[in-house]
């Protein structure tokens, strides 16, 4: 008898418990993703195999029979209709990725280090200017503005536009929105990027948006980048470039404050901030489930079941990262001695590995080191159990992170 699909909780009220239930159903199991049936893959070995297999595509137009139905009213439709490297397959993916890769090359990321430190220092100065005993929302005052400013400057987004870009991007990750709400947010988001493109065409700058526009316009036949690919590539970079880093900083702070013995080890030099970032990425990845991929042909699973051609696949990074077969009995624990080489799938795997991963690591490491150096007595203003998770099974963070700064001497 076929097991009924497990219905994912759109509010993600207890994501860790839900991921445990998914793993108990096997290396892959059918789930209901807001009305769309997909195979949630939670076994890390199987997931890595599928993420690198030519038998798995991200192009729903070509390989998902459910595409047209999804376009008609699925709240997460933006995740499958965009035309950029996120949804590309084969040669198209390689072509689109090559256009963006130079902007995230190691030397370019290294060149951003000073600016990341400057923005971090300014934000900490603003926090220090207030009453250190008065609770502040660290997500709102620190975790959000840092990556938003970094990606905004990289892309040439005017600072006064940051709030509207932020709200629109938040809507992409929401899994409690109605189809109508999602459609309205998508239309607004498209409008923001079309306006940005129009402005940058008129007045180019030294930014990634202007460079991609030049690439598009110099190839008048669209062979390098179509107009839709230009808009959707900008959307991908902005959306992925700050929301996930916000969650990484958020989760790292909350996790460290919930493990004072581990925080002490970092503060006295027995563990590194890089280890904190990697273990946070493993334990609390910024993206728990990533929609969607599709079987190009029938795929037989280790237990004999078959993902049939055209069926959708959900990469369940959160469940895979905590798999006891990968990390043993301590898989649900925050262990800095685990080492940064033991692995996680927070940034994906294979050809779709996140290009922005080095930048996210740089921002998070810089932010955490500076924050706890400036405010070594930082503590949560409420019990950790009272923090509310973001209402999303995609995005992993908290609605607020209230803290008391209580800086040291």
């Amino acid at each position: 008898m076929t097991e009924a699909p497990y219905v994912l909780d759109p509010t993600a009220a207890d994501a860790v418990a839900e991921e445990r239930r998914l793993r108990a159903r096997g290396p892959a199991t059918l789930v209901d993703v807001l009305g769309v049936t997909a195979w949630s893959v939670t076994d890390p070995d199987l997931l890595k195999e599928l993420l690198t297999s030519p038998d798995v595509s991200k192009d729903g137009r070509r390989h998902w029979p459910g595409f047209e139905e999804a376009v008609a009213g699925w709240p997460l439709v933006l995740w499958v209709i965009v035309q950029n490297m996120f949804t590309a397959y084969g040669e198209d993916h390689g072509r689109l990725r090559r256009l963006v890769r130079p902007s995230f090359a190691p030397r370019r990321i290294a060149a951003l280090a000073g600016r990341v430190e400057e923005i971090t220092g300014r934000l900490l100065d603003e926090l220090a200017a207030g009453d250190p005993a008065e609770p502040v929302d660290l997500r709102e005052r620190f975790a959000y503005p840092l990556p938003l400013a970094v990606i905004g400057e990289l892309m040439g987004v005017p600072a006064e536009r940051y709030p509207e870009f932020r709200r629109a991007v938040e809507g992409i990750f929401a899994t409690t929105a109605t189809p109508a709400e999602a459609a309205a947010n998508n239309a607004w988001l498209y409008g923001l990027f079309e306006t940005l493109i129009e402005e940058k065409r008129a007045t180019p700058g030294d930014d990634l948006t202007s460079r991609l526009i030049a690439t598009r316009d110099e190839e008048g036949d669209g062979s390098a980048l179509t107009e839709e690919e230009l808009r959707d590539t900008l959307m991908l970079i902005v959306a992925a470039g700050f929301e996930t880093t916000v969650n990484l900083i958020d989760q790292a702070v909350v996790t460290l404050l919930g493990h004072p013995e581990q925080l002490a080890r970092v503060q006295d030099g027995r563990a590194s901030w890089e280890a904190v970032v990697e273990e946070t990425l493993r334990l609390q990845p910024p993206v728990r489930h990533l929609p969607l991929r599709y079987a190009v042909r029938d795929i037989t699973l280790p237990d004999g079941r078959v993902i049939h051609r055209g069926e959708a696949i959900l990469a369940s990074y959160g469940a895979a990262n905590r798999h006891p077969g990968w990390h043993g009995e301590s898989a649900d624990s925050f262990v800095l001695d685990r080492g940064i080489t033991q692995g996680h799938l927070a940034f994906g795997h294979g050809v779709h590995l996140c290009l922005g991963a080095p930048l996210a690591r740089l921002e998070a490491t810089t932010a955490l080191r500076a924050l706890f150096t400036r405010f070594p007595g930082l503590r949560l203003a409420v019990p950790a159990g009272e923090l509310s998770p973001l209402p999303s099974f995609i995005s992993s963070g908290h609605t607020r992170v209230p803290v008391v700064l209580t800086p040291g001497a």
Side-chain angles (χ1 to χ4, degrees):
M1 180 177 180
T2 302
E3 197 170 24
Y6 180 98
V7 180
L8 293 180
D9 177 7
T11 71
D14 193 345
V16 173
E18 182 167 76
E19 289 163 357
R20 193 176 296 120
R21 289 192 288 271
L22 291 176
R23 287 196 301 268
R25 290 166 64 103
T29 187
L30 288 173
V31 294
D32 181 300
V33 187
L34 302 184
V36 165
T37 300
W39 288 89
S40 165
V41 183
T42 61
D43 180 271
D45 292 330
L46 175 60
L47 184 52
K48 284 188 281 188
E49 179 183 338
L50 296 180
L51 294 178
T52 55
S53 172
D55 294 341
V56 176
S57 167
K58 294 199 74 177
D59 189 340
R61 287 178 170 83
R62 293 170 59 187
H63 299 122
W64 187 32
F67 180 81
E68 293 299 330
E69 184 178 351
V71 170
W74 192 40
L76 301 181
V77 67
L78 192 68
W79 291 86
V80 302
I81 64 169
V82 289
Q83 298 184 55
N84 53 38
M85 62 184 176
F86 180 80
T87 57
Y89 174 74
E91 293 181 0
D92 279 340
H93 175 261
R95 171 178 61 85
L96 293 168
R97 192 175 177 94
R98 281 192 297 272
L99 293 172
V100 177
R101 185 189 296 124
S103 295
F104 293 92
R107 63 179 180 81
R108 285 191 178 269
I109 300 303
L112 289 172
R115 185 57 182 146
V116 171
E117 291 176 356
E118 289 177 11
I119 298 171
T120 299
R122 172 177 59 79
L123 293 171
L124 293 178
D125 287 344
E126 293 173 359
L127 289 173
D131 182 350
E134 188 69 23
V136 296
D137 181 359
L138 201 68
R139 182 178 174 92
E140 181 67 26
R141 298 283 302 279
F142 186 63
Y144 241 116
L146 171 59
L148 184 54
V150 171
I151 201 67
E153 291 183 7
L154 180 68
M155 301 299 294
V157 176
E160 63 271 17
R161 301 268 186 85
Y162 291 176
E164 56 185 351
F165 273 90
R166 169 187 166 174
R167 290 196 299 274
V169 168
E170 287 176 334
I172 299 175
F173 289 83
T175 54
T176 56
T178 66
E181 291 169 338
N185 187 77
N186 295 346
W188 181 32
L189 189 65
Y190 278 128
L192 292 177
F193 282 99
E194 287 164 358
T195 298
L196 179 64
I197 291 170
E198 180 180 348
E199 292 174 348
K200 288 296 178 178
R201 273 204 170 104
T203 310
D206 183 18
D207 53 68
L208 180 53
T209 299
S210 297
R211 289 193 291 274
L212 287 176
I213 290 173
T215 299
R216 153 66 187 161
D217 292 349
E218 288 168 5
E219 299 290 340
D221 60 357
S223 60
L225 202 64
T226 69
E227 193 70 14
E228 292 76 15
E229 288 170 343
L230 168 63
R231 179 200 60 202
D232 291 357
T233 294
L234 296 177
M235 187 185 306
L236 170 64
I237 297 171
V238 172
F242 76 85
E243 180 72 20
T244 53
T245 308
V246 172
N247 291 332
L248 173 55
I249 296 171
D250 166 338
Q251 292 283 18
V253 170
V254 171
T255 304
L256 279 172
L257 295 180
H259 295 80
E261 76 291 346
Q262 299 288 345
L263 175 57
R265 295 182 66 247
V266 185
Q267 290 178 317
D268 65 19
R270 288 177 291 147
S272 70
W273 290 108
E274 288 78 7
V276 170
V277 170
E278 296 307 313
E279 181 64 350
T280 302
L281 286 166
R282 185 198 68 81
L283 190 68
Q284 300 286 6
V287 172
R288 291 192 176 276
H289 301 279
L290 190 65
L292 280 175
R293 286 170 166 81
Y294 321 95
V296 176
R297 53 185 53 85
D298 288 358
I299 300 171
T300 302
L301 299 174
D303 59 9
R305 291 176 300 161
V306 176
I307 300 178
H308 292 288
R309 176 184 177 184
E311 291 186 327
I313 298 169
L314 185 70
S316 296
Y317 295 135
N321 278 356
R322 289 174 177 252
H323 199 289
W326 193 1
H327 294 290
E329 294 181 359
S330 67
D332 282 332
S333 301
F334 185 66
V335 181
L336 295 181
D337 287 338
R338 198 180 303 279
I340 62 175
T341 61
Q342 195 163 340
H344 58 73
L345 293 168
F347 291 122
H349 184 72
V351 296
H352 283 277
L353 183 71
C354 178
L355 277 176
L359 179 57
R361 287 182 165 110
L362 170 65
E363 292 177 72
T365 303
T366 302
L368 294 169
R369 180 186 293 114
L371 175 67
F372 284 97
T373 299
R374 188 72 168 270
F375 304 111
L378 182 74
R379 59 184 174 84
L380 287 174
V382 299
E386 293 183 11
L387 297 176
S388 299
L390 290 175
S392 170
F393 55 66
I394 298 175
S395 195
S396 173
H398 302 89
T399 57
R400 297 178 64 251
V401 182
V403 300
V404 176
L405 301 173
T406 56

